Amino acid sequence: MKGLYEKWCSINLILRIVVGLVIGTALALIIPNILFIEIIGELFVGALKAIAPILVMVLVISSLASSKGNVGNRMRTVVILYLGTTLLAAAVSVVMSYLFPVHITLSIDPADYASATLEEVLLNLVIGIVSNPVSAIINANYLSILFWSVLFGFTIRKIGSPTVTNVMSELSEIVSNIVRVIIQFAPIGLFGIIYTTVSAFGLSIFEEYASLICLLVACMLIVMFVVSPLVSGILMRRNPFPLLFACLRGSAVTAFFTRSSAANIPMNMTLCEKLGLDRDFYSVSIPLGSAINMNGAAVTITVMTLVGAFSIGLDVPIVIAFALCFLATLAACGASGVSGGSLLLIPMACSLLGISDDIAMQLVAIGFIIGVIQDSLETAINSSNDVLYSATAEVVDARKRGETLELNTD
């Protein structure tokens, strides 16, 4: 078994993933709904979601306990990148929505969906940060995990106990090795996920909402291939596309199919290690990005809100539309790191335009219908940009110190 596993690991991971996706799609079209194959996908995503909170906590505690306190400038840069580009993503969505207005029929029963107000989102964020740390790990509340991890890390560092620091370092290495094993089975897990998706929905279920899907996809692709590399390239003062494509290969592919930023944290950690980033930095910036770097979510919230307004004949002044960008940015930061997290925040954005809750809930329901595409691409953008901006912040910090950081983007 050991020799078989080593031979399996020796094959290029991306190649294995592509083969798994192709076989899964073909098999689903020929023999759909095989329960055993569907369970494989659930097991993979479940394993990632289970290990991710533990990985984040032990890495952050270990990094802060043993660090020399030199990540402040990089963290400031990456937070500005996270929030600033989320705002830019919302602005792109406003422009595209006005250039290519989409109208849809709103006729879906919204009874089963719950809305959220801005006050509720902000209150839940604040209260959630100080929730019980054990509960935070169980519920994958990453803001709370970060909060307690930072406290534990700095406290251990202040005490200065080499024994405790070494224990945390060894523990982080143990968890990291477990994650590496799980990632090696990503091709099998993604085979199960794509099989389940194609079995359930086929390849042509989105014809009714084709225009809406095209608008969402166009906005997200502009963010992914224009806004993100433009911002990153300007700050790094180098060609950003090798780094961008490395992030797409190492992060976006798995995020697209798992549809969970939280579940993709282990993949991003591994990619950051491969790029040669500082573990003390990315062990904090990556989980933070899964909570507040929500470019794709900002696109979804903005586009769906404006589509709803146009569909009911509401005249939205361009000034109000751009004010929506700031609200969408706040809402996006309140989106959870799991599938469909941004959709339930659409009613909050709709309230700014005076759209009724009934209409807003219909938009949420439509969002779930097209979620196989919308949420998958949204998560791919969110998660891959976590790595892109973490690497950008590292390069910028190195340049300020008069050094040149070469990234391993092969």
Side-chain angles (χ1 to χ4, degrees):
M1 290 298 294
K2 182 180 179 181
L4 186 63
Y5 174 74
E6 290 175 350
K7 190 171 182 179
W8 165 260
C9 295
S10 66
I11 304 172
N12 182 274
L13 180 62
I14 298 300
L15 177 61
R16 282 181 282 154
I17 288 175
V18 171
V19 171
L21 294 177
V22 171
I23 294 175
T25 301
L27 189 60
L29 294 174
I30 299 170
I31 313 174
N33 301 317
I34 299 176
L35 181 60
F36 172 73
I37 299 178
E38 295 177 355
I39 291 175
I40 292 175
E42 293 295 327
L43 286 174
F44 174 67
V45 175
L48 286 176
K49 287 183 176 179
I51 197 65
I54 301 173
L55 174 69
V56 169
M57 175 160 274
V58 297
L59 280 181
V60 171
I61 293 175
S62 175
S63 296
L64 293 178
S66 59
S67 72
K68 299 178 176 60
N70 58 352
V71 299
N73 290 333
R74 285 173 286 175
M75 196 59 63
R76 190 161 45 247
T77 301
V78 83
V79 169
I80 293 173
L81 280 170
Y82 286 162
L83 298 179
T85 54
T86 299
L87 182 61
L88 286 176
V92 167
S93 303
V94 167
V95 173
M96 290 292 290
S97 295
Y98 273 83
L99 289 177
F100 306 99
V102 171
H103 299 79
I104 57 177
T105 301
L106 299 172
S107 57
I108 297 175
D109 184 4
D112 295 331
Y113 300 98
S115 63
T117 65
L118 178 60
E119 292 81 4
E120 289 172 339
V121 170
L122 295 179
L123 183 61
N124 288 337
L125 278 175
V126 173
I127 294 177
I129 288 175
V130 293
S131 65
N132 183 287
V134 176
S135 173
I137 293 175
I138 294 173
N139 297 313
N141 180 349
Y142 285 94
L143 286 179
S144 180
I145 291 172
L146 282 171
F147 173 76
W148 290 112
S149 299
V150 168
L151 285 184
F152 278 113
F154 279 127
T155 301
I156 294 173
R157 181 179 162 194
K158 184 178 180 180
I159 294 173
S161 170
T163 301
V164 178
T165 301
N166 290 336
V167 167
M168 291 307 306
S169 178
E170 292 294 329
L171 185 59
S172 69
E173 189 60 32
I174 291 171
V175 177
S176 297
N177 285 331
I178 293 173
V179 168
R180 293 187 188 103
V181 173
I182 294 173
I183 290 174
Q184 288 301 326
F185 290 96
I188 299 175
L190 294 177
F191 159 75
I193 293 172
I194 192 65
Y195 176 86
T196 302
T197 302
V198 176
S199 293
F201 301 108
L203 299 176
S204 59
I205 63 167
F206 302 114
E207 295 177 0
E208 183 179 356
Y209 300 114
S211 297
L212 174 57
I213 292 173
C214 287
L215 178 59
L216 283 167
V217 170
C219 291
M220 292 185 188
L221 291 181
I222 289 173
V223 171
M224 180 178 287
F225 291 105
V226 179
V227 174
S228 296
L230 182 62
V231 171
S232 182
I234 290 174
L235 291 176
M236 293 193 300
R237 299 179 187 176
R238 65 173 70 170
N239 180 5
F241 286 99
L243 174 59
L244 175 66
F245 291 136
C247 294
L248 295 179
R249 291 193 305 268
S251 176
V253 172
T254 52
F256 184 90
F257 292 103
T258 61
R259 296 169 62 189
S260 171
S261 296
N264 211 50
I265 286 176
M267 309 295 288
N268 283 352
M269 294 282 196
T270 300
L271 178 57
C272 286
E273 183 179 6
K274 178 185 175 183
L275 289 172
L277 304 187
D278 181 5
R279 184 170 178 171
D280 288 349
F281 173 59
Y282 72 70
S283 62
V284 179
S285 69
I286 293 300
L288 179 64
S290 72
I292 69 171
N293 182 34
M294 293 289 174
N295 297 355
V299 169
T300 297
I301 294 168
T302 305
V303 168
M304 295 296 288
T305 300
L306 290 176
V307 165
F310 296 154
S311 297
I312 62 175
L314 186 65
D315 182 24
V316 183
I318 191 67
V319 176
I320 300 298
F322 277 107
L324 175 64
C325 296
F326 292 93
L327 185 59
T329 300
L330 286 175
C333 292
S336 63
V338 296
S339 175
S342 62
L343 295 176
L344 296 179
L345 295 170
I346 291 173
M348 183 180 75
C350 286
S351 66
L352 177 68
L353 306 183
I355 299 174
S356 70
D357 200 49
D358 285 347
I359 297 296
M361 288 301 100
Q362 293 179 43
L363 293 171
V364 172
I366 292 172
F368 279 109
I369 291 175
I370 64 174
V372 174
I373 292 178
Q374 167 268 323
D375 194 39
S376 297
L377 191 55
E378 173 186 311
T379 308
I381 294 174
N382 291 343
S383 191
S384 59
N385 278 350
D386 291 348
V387 181
L388 178 69
Y389 296 139
S390 293
T392 299
E394 283 261 28
V395 172
V396 170
D397 182 68
R399 191 182 67 247
K400 289 179 179 178
R401 291 184 278 108
E403 301 173 1
T404 300
L405 177 63
E406 295 299 333
L407 302 172
N408 179 21
T409 57
D410 295 334

